Amino acid sequence: MKKIDRREFLKTTGTIATTTALAGCGVNTKDAQQNLDPSGHHTGPVPTGKMTYRTNPKTGEKVSLLGYGWMRLPTKKGLNPDNPNDEVIDQEEVNRLTNAALKYGVNYFDTSPAYMRGRSEESLGIALAQSGRPRSSYYIATKLSNFSPSQWDFESGRQLFENSLKYLQTDYVDYLLLHSVGGGGLDNLRKRYLDNGLLAWLMEQRQAGRIRNLGFSFHGDVAVYDYLLEHHEEYKWDFVQIQLNYLDWHNDDRGRDAEYLFGELQKRGIPVVIMEPLLGGRLSKVPDHVVAHLKQRKPEDSVASWAFRYAGTRPEVLTVLSGMTYMEHLEDNVRTYSPLQSLDEEEMRWLDGETANLIKSYPTIQCNDCKYCMPCPYGLDIPGIFVHYNKCVNQGNLPESQQAENYQRARRAFLVGYDRSVPRLRQANHCIQCRECVPHCPQNIDIPRELARVDRFVEQLKQGTL
Amino acid sequence: MLRKIRLTLAIFFWLLVTWLLVDFTGTAHQYLGWMAKMQFMPALLAVNVGVLLFLVVLTLLFGRIYCSVICPLGVMQDAIAWCRRKRNKYIFSLPHSKVRHGFLLATAALMLAGMGWLAGLLLPYSTYGRIVGTLVAPLYRMGNNVLASVAAHYDSYAFYEVDVWLKSVSALVVSVAVWALIAVLAWRFGRLWCNTVCPVGTLLGFLSRHAVYRPAINQRRCNSCGLCERNCKSQCINSRTHEIDLSRCVMCGNCMEACRKGALTLTSSPATSAEQPAPVPAPKAVADKPRSNAKPAKKTKAAEKEAESTSNAERGRRKPATKTAPEKAAKPTADKPAKPIAEKAARSAEVKTAGPAAEGSSQPVDVAGQEAEGEKKDRRRRSRRTAIATTAMLLTGGTLVRAQKKAEPKTTDGGFADITPKEKPSRQRPVLPPGALSARHLQAQCTACQLCITSCPNDVLRPSTSLSSLLQPEVSYERGYCRPECNRCSQVCPTGAIQPITVEQRTAVQAGRAVWVKERCLASAEGKPCGSCARHCPAGAIQLVPASDKYRRGDHGRWYDAEGHEVDGRTVPMIPVVDEEKCIGCGACENLCPVSPYSAIYVEGNDVQRDI
C-alpha cells in the first residue's frame, strides 16, 4: 500500500542503489534490525506441534483446524515449453508449501477436478507423494465437479471420480463432496446427481470404503440446501461445506447467510467444513480505516487472523479451508491456529456486527477471485478486473468526483494500475454482456452488470467527466 | 567562444527536439511544442508569419545559424561528423549550384502540386522526424517500459507501460535508407547534404549571403596555413583566395576556433575585409563567388584546366594562390606532401557526389514506391483472404467466430480464452486524423514528420502505405480507437496539416462513418445479444433495433411480437444501426467489436471531414 509519486520513486531507487553500493562496501545495515527482540504473537518462529485439532464424530479422526485449499496455488510463467506465457503451477514451490504445512500439523487437503484449470488434483497427488508421509497421516478431500451439461450423465460422473483417484495417487478419498450444489437450483441438482443415479453410486462407494466421508459444498439457491438436509436421513451427510465468515454471518442473500446455513447443520449435528473464511483475501486486504479498527484491538495480530479466529471458534467446525499461495499466508494461519485463541461472544458480535458493517460501507465488488467464471469466452480477465477495482477501493484510489482532493493521483493510480493488472484486450470494455459467466459465480455477482459499472467508471476517469 | 555558445544552444535544441519527437505522454508538447513549430518549413506551410520573420531576420543578421542550432538534422550531421577521429579533413569545394537550385525548385513544385510527402523527403525537419520517429521512438518506449516495470515493482505509478510495435515497414525502410545516406555524407563531407540537397539550406543561403555579421579572414594575420579550410564542415572556405562562401556557411565557428593566428573573426560588415590592404577586392569576390575560383584558372592558362582534370591537383590549386598572394607563394606549407593524395580523393569523390546525392534523394522514393507496391499486393492478398473468410462465415452461418471463441465446453475453472488480434479491414477511403480537413489538404500540407504518429496515445495513427500519401498519418483501429477526449495530433502538428481543434470540436468532426457488416455481426449471424458497439459509441450514433419487423417496441420498454403478444425484451434479437449523421468515425465500435480478426462494424474514411 505504498503510494509513491515520481519524486519519491526516484528517491527510493536512488536510496536502493546507494544501499546496495554500501552493502557492497561491507557496511551491513541489517544488523541493527536483527538485534530487535520480537514480542508479539505473530512474530518469532512458527510454532510446530501446537495445532488445534477437531474430531470427526463418525470416524474419530483428528482433523487440523487449518485445512489447505488447493485452489490458489502459486503459478509461474515459462514452465510450459509450448507457450512460455502460460501460467503453470509451480510444483516445486507447491511441494515446499506442502512439506511445511505437514510439518506444522496441517492434515486436511481440499481439491477439485475443476481447480487450477483441472491441474489441481494432479499437483496435490504429486505433493503428497513426495512428502513421504504415510497415507493415513493426512486426509484428502475432493469433489465431483460435473458443472458442464456435457458431464451430467452417470458415466462422466463416475469417470470424474475414478480420474480423481488416479491423479491423487490413492485408492480412496477421505472426504468427497458434491461440488457447489445450489447453482442452477433443484433442477440442476437433479440432473447432476439424482436422476442419473450418481449420488446413489457414491453412497455405494462410501459403503465400499472408497469414500470415507460423503458431503456437499453449497453456494447459491438455498432451496437445494434445504432439500439435501431434509433428506439427511436418507443420504446421511458426514459433513457439509459452507461459506462462513464475519461478513456473511448476517447476509441479506439467504444463500450466503451463514447464520442460517450453520444453524441448520448445528441442529442436525453435522460437522461443518468452512470455505471462504477470508473471502479470497477480501478480509485481509481491507481499507486503511478497517485495518486501524482491527489493529487497535490487537496491534500485533494480522488482519487475516481475526477472520480465521472467527471461522474457527465455533466447536462444530471441523476445519477451516484456506488457499494459501505464499509461505507467509501459511505461517500466519498456522500461528493463528497453534493453538486457536477462541473469540468470546463480545468479540464475535463486534466482528459480524460493527466490523462487517464498516466493510460493507465500501463499494467493493464481492469477488473472491475463485476464477469459477473463467475462462470468459471473450477473453476477459473477470477476476483480474474486480481485484484491481477492489484494490483501488481499499487504497482510496476510487475518486468520487473531480473535486476529490486526491483526484489526479487516484485517477493515475487507477488507470495505470488497470493496464498493469489486466491486459487491455482483457479489460471490462470488451464484455459483450453474453451472461455466460453468471451461473458460474458462487457469490451470485451479476458479473456483466459489475463489468459495465467498472467500464463506465473507467470511461469517466479517461474522459474527465466524473 | 562563438563555437561554445553555438554548441550549447545546438545540443540544447537538438536533445529537446528529439525528446519532443519521441515523447508519447504529451508532457514534451506542453512545453516544447514551439520547437517543432519554429522549424522553417513547418512555419512556412502553416504561414506562421512571426516565426518566419524571426528566422529571416536571424539569418540576415547572423547567417545560417538556423542550420547550426535549430535544425535537428543539421546538428545530427555535426554529431556524426564529430564522431570521426580525424575531424579536420575537409577541403574547399565549389558549390553545386545547379543541383542546389534544382532541388529547391523541385521541392517548391512538389509542394505546389500537393505532394507533401515527396517534398517532405527532402525537408530537413521532417526527415529528422522520420528517422527519430521510426528508429529512436521504439527504443525510447522500450526504455520507458523498463522503468515502468521497475516502477510497478515498487508500486509506483510514475511510469506506465506502452506498446512497442512496428507501425510501418515502409517508414522503417525509408528512414534507415535516408539516415544511412545522410550519415555517410556527413561522415565524409560534413554539411554536403545541407548545402546541396536541403531546400531550406539553399533558401536560407540566399539570405545569408547578405548577413550583417559574418566570418571573414583578416589577410594581414592569415598565414594561409589552411587550418580553417580543413575544419570547415561546409567546405566553403577557400584558404587560398581567403574567401568564404557565405551561402553555405552555417556559422558553426569551427574555423575561428581552429585559426591559430586569430585571422578569422566575426565582422559586422563586408567593408571591413575590404579595408584590409588585400590585392583582391573582397566585395567583388563575395558577389560572384561561384565563378571567382574558376575564373583565374581559366584566364591563366588554357592548359590549366587540363592539368586539373589530369589530377595535377596541386598545381591547379597553387596557381591561383600565387596570383592572389605572391609574397607567400614561395613559402612551402608543412603539409604539402600530404595534400595531393587527400585532395585527389576529395575531388574524385566530389565529382561523384552530385551523382549519388541526386540518386540518393530519389532512391528512397523508389524504395518507398516498391514498398507501397508490395503493400498494395499484400492488401489485395489480404482482401482476398477477407473475401474467403467472409464467404466461409456466410456458409457456416457464423460458426467460424464461435469456433475461435469456444473450442470446448467449460469443465474447469480459470485460464484465459485466446484472443485473435484484430486486422486492418480494407477501407475504400483511409480515415484521416480529425482536423486534417480533407485528403487533399493533408496530402499537400503534411511533410510526414511522424510527430503526430509517435505522440498518438491511443496507437491509432500510423504512416500511410498508399502511394499518394506515403508516410503521412492514417487512422486505423486495431490497437485502440480515437478517444473522444483526445486532440493531441491536432495540437502537435507543426505544419497545420492537422488543424488545431479543441476537444469539443474534435467530437463534432466527422472523420468517417461506421459501416455494419451483417454477415459478421454476432447479433445477426449468431443471434447473440451483444450491443458492444452501441454501448461504447461516444457520439450516441449507434442504436439497437430488432433484427426483424416481427417485433414492435411498446411503452415502458415492453416488446410485442407480430400477433401483439408481449415478449421478454431480452429475447428479442437486436442489431446495431448507425446514424451516419451523428457518427464521428472514432472507431470505438470497430475496436471493441468482439468479432476478430475483422470487426463486424468498421469505419470508412471521409474524403472531406465535416462538422456534425
Side-chain angles (χ1 to χ4, degrees):
Chain A
M1 292 242 302
K2 273 177 266 168
K3 292 163 197 163
I4 307 184
D5 62 13
R6 192 185 294 252
R7 184 176 302 169
E8 263 179 74
F9 169 76
L10 292 171
K11 218 191 280 173
T12 315
T13 38
T15 317
I16 288 160
T18 329
T19 320
T20 323
L22 280 176
C25 299
V27 180
N28 195 343
T29 48
K30 273 186 183 166
D31 274 357
Q33 288 163 24
Q34 277 171 354
N35 291 338
L36 281 178
D37 193 24
S39 60
H41 178 63
H42 277 263
T43 43
V46 184
T48 47
K50 290 185 181 164
M51 174 67 68
T52 298
Y53 289 89
R54 294 277 161 80
T55 311
N56 179 334
K58 176 182 155 188
T59 60
E61 63 203 21
K62 301 268 187 201
V63 176
S64 61
L65 188 54
L66 180 62
Y68 210 135
W70 229 244
M71 192 177 80
R72 302 178 196 270
L73 300 175
T75 56
K76 220 165 138 179
K77 279 185 183 175
L79 292 176
N80 180 356
D82 299 331
N83 180 6
N85 276 330
D86 199 6
E87 294 259 357
V88 182
I89 296 174
D90 183 356
Q91 189 63 40
E92 226 170 278
E93 183 61 18
V94 167
N95 294 347
R96 219 166 65 87
L97 287 165
T98 310
N99 294 337
L102 288 165
K103 184 180 83 187
Y104 296 137
V106 174
N107 64 10
Y108 189 96
F109 297 86
D110 174 87
T111 178
S112 150
Y115 291 166
M116 305 296 297
R117 295 155 70 190
R119 294 171 192 164
S120 171
E121 283 185 330
E122 190 185 5
S123 161
L124 180 59
I126 295 169
L128 290 174
Q130 64 80 41
S131 77
R133 307 250 176 167
R135 175 67 184 85
S136 56
S137 68
Y138 51 78
Y139 308 111
I140 298 176
T142 190
K143 313 189 178 75
L144 215 134
S145 316
N146 55 348
F147 291 119
S148 166
S150 67
Q151 299 166 303
W152 285 355
D153 59 304
F154 173 79
E155 194 43 41
S156 298
R158 198 186 65 82
Q159 200 55 52
L160 263 176
F161 177 71
E162 299 297 344
N163 280 343
S164 294
L165 292 181
K166 196 176 80 195
Y167 286 133
L168 290 163
Q169 308 184 25
T170 181
D171 44 18
Y172 68 91
V173 169
D174 299 283
Y175 294 81
L176 191 95
L177 301 94
L178 311 187
H179 197 176
S180 192
V181 299
L186 273 171
D187 194 39
N188 266 20
L189 175 77
R190 291 208 172 90
K191 284 177 180 155
R192 284 174 67 188
Y193 300 111
L194 305 184
D195 297 350
N196 58 12
L198 199 56
L199 182 55
W201 182 78
L202 289 173
M203 286 163 72
E204 277 169 33
Q205 299 306 307
R206 174 168 61 179
Q207 212 69 44
R210 294 177 82 203
I211 297 170
R212 296 181 58 239
N213 297 280
L214 187 59
F216 64 86
S217 70
F218 168 78
H219 284 295
D221 187 348
V222 86
V224 178
Y225 189 77
D226 292 340
Y227 175 89
L228 288 175
L229 289 186
E230 275 159 25
H231 292 75
H232 179 51
E233 287 307 307
E234 183 187 335
Y235 301 130
K236 300 251 175 342
W237 302 114
D238 300 312
F239 69 106
V240 167
Q241 185 166 317
I242 57 165
Q243 174 169 327
L244 187 148
N245 53 66
Y246 62 81
L247 213 57
D248 285 325
W249 184 252
H250 302 296
N251 197 313
D252 295 339
D253 176 0
R254 248 188 106 213
R256 276 191 287 159
D257 186 40
E259 187 177 22
Y260 171 79
L261 301 178
F262 186 82
E264 292 298 300
L265 298 175
Q266 206 176 21
K267 258 194 280 184
R268 294 173 173 87
I270 303 173
V272 187
V273 172
I274 292 197
M275 59 180 156
E276 300 291 0
L278 203 59
L279 288 174
R282 268 202 293 132
L283 293 183
S284 62
K285 292 174 209 148
V286 288
D288 286 354
H289 191 135
V290 182
V291 174
H293 173 82
L294 292 168
K295 287 270 179 183
Q296 201 179 341
R297 281 217 168 182
K298 278 194 174 272
E300 281 150 332
D301 285 9
S302 68
V303 173
S305 70
W306 283 105
F308 279 98
R309 288 172 69 200
Y310 185 88
T313 290
R314 294 180 180 87
E316 295 84 350
V317 171
L318 188 63
T319 184
V320 178
L321 300 177
S322 175
M324 296 162 283
T325 316
Y326 303 104
M327 194 61 88
E328 292 70 35
H329 293 167
L330 172 65
E331 289 176 355
D332 189 52
N333 292 347
V334 168
R335 287 178 208 276
T336 308
Y337 283 162
S338 295
L340 164 77
Q341 293 176 319
S342 296
L343 298 176
D344 60 28
E345 194 57 27
E346 186 275 333
E347 284 172 314
M348 297 286 270
R349 295 293 79 80
W350 176 69
L351 283 175
D352 59 34
E354 195 184 331
T355 311
N357 289 338
L358 187 64
I359 293 176
K360 283 174 187 168
S361 69
Y362 287 86
T364 324
I365 295 166
Q366 315 288 306
C367 172
N368 299 346
D369 193 19
C370 72
K371 299 188 171 66
Y372 280 28
C373 53
M374 296 293 282
C376 159
Y378 293 92
L380 271 80
D381 181 1
I382 300 168
I385 295 163
F386 291 161
V387 165
H388 171 69
Y389 185 87
N390 287 347
K391 183 182 164 198
C392 288
V393 172
N394 292 338
Q395 299 189 346
N397 286 332
L398 206 74
E400 273 171 24
S401 78
Q402 291 192 43
Q403 272 67 52
E405 185 188 355
N406 64 343
Y407 175 74
Q408 284 303 337
R409 198 188 47 73
R411 175 182 183 271
R412 191 174 176 94
F414 190 100
L415 293 177
V416 174
Y418 192 31
D419 282 353
R420 267 182 202 163
S421 12
V422 186
R424 266 177 223 158
L425 288 174
R426 303 196 186 279
Q427 290 179 355
N429 54 1
H430 286 89
C431 171
I432 74 154
Q433 306 275 316
C434 71
R435 306 190 69 80
E436 281 190 31
C437 49
V438 177
H440 297 298
C441 180
Q443 306 305 319
N444 294 337
I445 303 172
D446 188 340
I447 296 171
R449 208 185 61 198
E450 293 296 324
L451 286 174
R453 181 162 77 91
V454 175
D455 185 28
R456 258 200 313 279
F457 181 70
V458 169
E459 276 303 308
Q460 282 173 331
L461 283 185
K462 283 188 176 172
Q463 295 187 18
T465 53
L466 193 70
Chain B
M1 188 59 200
L2 181 76
R3 182 168 171 267
K4 272 189 190 133
I5 296 172
R6 191 263 304 175
L7 267 176
T8 316
L9 283 174
I11 292 171
F12 173 77
F13 261 81
W14 188 46
L15 289 179
L16 291 186
V17 169
T18 307
W19 181 40
L20 179 74
L21 284 165
V22 295
D23 178 53
F24 53 86
T25 60
T27 321
H29 299 286
Q30 240 175 319
Y31 305 106
L32 305 172
W34 57 273
M35 287 194 152
K37 286 171 184 160
M38 76 173 299
Q39 299 292 327
F40 186 83
M41 215 48 204
L44 190 68
L45 283 164
V47 203
N48 199 336
V49 182
V51 170
L52 287 176
L53 260 177
F54 168 73
L55 292 179
V56 166
V57 170
L58 185 74
T59 313
L60 281 175
L61 276 175
F62 299 106
R64 281 169 62 184
I65 219 160
Y66 171 89
C67 302
S68 268
V69 173
I70 301 174
C71 175
L73 192 73
V75 183
M76 182 190 85
Q77 291 177 74
D78 288 352
I80 291 170
W82 182 80
C83 292
R84 210 163 73 152
R85 207 172 293 162
K86 278 222 149 193
R87 288 173 209 148
N88 53 351
K89 277 193 146 178
Y90 301 109
I91 276 174
F92 173 75
S93 80
L94 293 174
H96 309 277
S97 299
K98 275 185 191 155
V99 186
R100 283 179 93 181
H101 299 153
F103 273 123
L104 179 61
L105 283 175
T107 311
L110 286 170
M111 297 297 322
L112 290 174
M115 300 185 74
W117 72 266
L118 205 53
L121 286 177
L122 301 173
L123 296 174
Y125 161 72
S126 59
T127 300
Y128 187 73
R130 272 190 304 278
I131 291 171
V132 170
T134 44
L135 304 179
V136 185
L139 301 176
Y140 181 79
R141 287 177 165 230
M142 283 178 203
N144 167 78
N145 286 355
V146 172
L147 285 178
S149 63
V150 175
H153 183 75
Y154 291 107
D155 233 347
S156 153
Y157 300 104
F159 299 93
Y160 58 88
E161 203 177 310
V162 285
D163 283 355
V164 185
W165 53 291
L166 180 62
K167 295 191 179 177
S168 151
V169 180
S170 20
L172 186 72
V173 171
V174 170
S175 302
V176 170
V178 171
W179 184 82
L181 177 75
I182 293 179
V184 167
L185 289 183
W187 184 269
R188 300 197 54 182
F189 309 111
R191 292 290 198 118
L192 186 68
W193 174 275
C194 309
N195 286 328
T196 312
V197 180
C198 178
V200 176
T202 309
L203 206 60
L204 291 178
F206 290 140
L207 299 173
S208 66
R209 277 168 213 241
H210 313 290
V212 177
Y213 295 96
R214 50 178 62 194
I217 302 170
N218 184 333
Q219 294 190 15
R220 275 192 188 153
R221 293 187 178 179
C222 177
N223 62 355
S224 291
C225 68
L227 260 180
C228 52
E229 178 174 336
R230 276 183 281 131
N231 277 289
C232 178
K233 62 199 180 203
S234 290
Q235 298 174 294
C236 70
I237 302 179
N238 188 338
S239 60
R240 284 168 296 132
T241 59
H242 299 102
E243 285 163 11
I244 300 173
D245 180 355
L246 288 178
S247 81
R248 285 186 291 156
C249 170
V250 293
M251 292 293 285
C252 67
N254 286 359
C255 49
M256 299 178 210
E257 192 93 347
C259 184
R260 292 184 189 135
K261 296 286 172 194
L264 266 146
T265 45
L266 197 67
T267 52
S268 61
S269 82
T272 28
S273 58
E275 274 167 29
Q276 310 297 325
V280 172
K284 198 182 161 196
V286 170
D288 50 9
K289 194 160 326 48
R291 268 162 282 138
S292 65
N293 194 30
K295 245 187 215 161
K298 249 184 229 166
K299 269 183 188 172
T300 41
K301 261 184 204 171
E304 191 81 32
K305 241 201 258 173
E306 264 177 40
E308 209 168 323
S309 62
T310 52
S311 90
N312 193 347
E314 203 201 358
R315 192 147 47 107
R317 195 178 174 278
R318 286 289 148 198
K319 270 278 148 61
T322 336
K323 259 200 106 186
T324 43
E327 74 274 15
K328 281 166 198 159
K331 200 176 161 190
T333 45
D335 51 353
K336 203 177 158 190
K339 256 183 184 161
I341 310 154
E343 211 164 85
K344 191 173 155 189
R347 283 282 157 87
S348 63
E350 225 171 81
V351 179
K352 276 185 209 150
T353 34
E359 256 170 48
S361 60
S362 64
Q363 196 179 0
V365 183
D366 285 345
V367 173
Q370 280 165 16
E371 197 52 50
E373 199 52 43
E375 282 288 327
K376 230 188 215 170
K377 259 185 223 157
D378 192 32
R379 204 187 313 152
R380 231 177 287 145
R381 224 179 298 136
R382 225 180 289 157
S383 66
R384 201 183 311 141
R385 233 186 291 151
T386 325
I388 294 169
T390 317
T391 330
M393 240 181 273
L394 275 168
L395 288 174
T396 54
T399 43
L400 199 70
V401 184
R402 204 195 171 89
Q404 281 166 359
K405 296 291 184 192
K406 290 189 73 183
E408 54 204 43
K410 173 182 152 59
T411 57
T412 58
D413 305 327
F416 297 105
D418 287 338
I419 296 175
T420 318
K422 294 250 182 215
E423 276 187 42
K424 190 178 163 184
S426 56
R427 307 179 206 273
Q428 300 294 315
R429 263 209 194 93
V431 186
L432 307 176
L437 301 185
S438 69
R440 272 180 55 217
H441 173 83
L442 186 71
Q443 274 169 26
Q445 289 281 113
C446 172
T447 60
C449 73
Q450 316 289 305
L451 184 57
C452 53
I453 294 171
T454 41
S455 66
C456 176
N458 301 310
D459 283 331
V460 159
L461 291 177
R462 71 275 323 267
S464 162
T465 48
S466 139
L467 246 193
S468 57
S469 58
L470 195 71
L471 308 184
Q472 291 177 340
E474 187 183 294
V475 172
S476 207
Y477 303 119
E478 290 83 70
R479 291 170 172 268
Y481 63 94
C482 192
R483 291 200 49 90
E485 74 278 1
C486 176
N487 60 347
R488 175 106 38 97
C489 55
S490 87
Q491 297 296 315
V492 302
C493 180
T495 67
I498 310 174
Q499 291 281 312
I501 51 172
T502 64
V503 172
E504 289 73 28
Q505 283 169 318
R506 186 258 162 279
T507 46
V509 170
Q510 185 182 69
R513 296 129 10 251
V515 179
W516 178 57
V517 186
K518 184 181 179 183
E519 293 73 21
R520 290 191 204 140
C521 182
L522 279 186
S524 49
E526 290 188 53
K528 278 203 175 168
C530 170
S532 188
C533 46
R535 261 197 312 284
H536 292 102
C537 179
I542 304 177
Q543 303 181 54
L544 295 178
V545 300
S548 77
D549 310 338
K550 228 173 72 184
Y551 301 98
R552 188 171 57 76
R553 194 199 294 264
D555 295 334
H556 310 295
R558 288 202 183 98
W559 285 91
Y560 301 93
D561 63 12
E563 285 84 46
H565 301 302
E566 189 177 341
V567 289
D568 184 355
R570 280 172 300 181
T571 64
V572 178
M574 303 286 261
I575 53 163
V577 287
V578 182
D579 180 353
E580 287 85 359
E581 291 304 314
K582 274 171 112 180
C583 178
I584 56 172
C586 71
C589 51
E590 179 179 331
N591 180 247
L592 295 173
C593 176
V595 183
S596 273
Y598 298 103
S599 299
I601 187 161
Y602 74 100
V603 179
E604 268 298 343
N606 270 12
D607 194 29
V608 176
Q609 296 184 346
R610 63 184 97 117
D611 284 349
I612 50 161

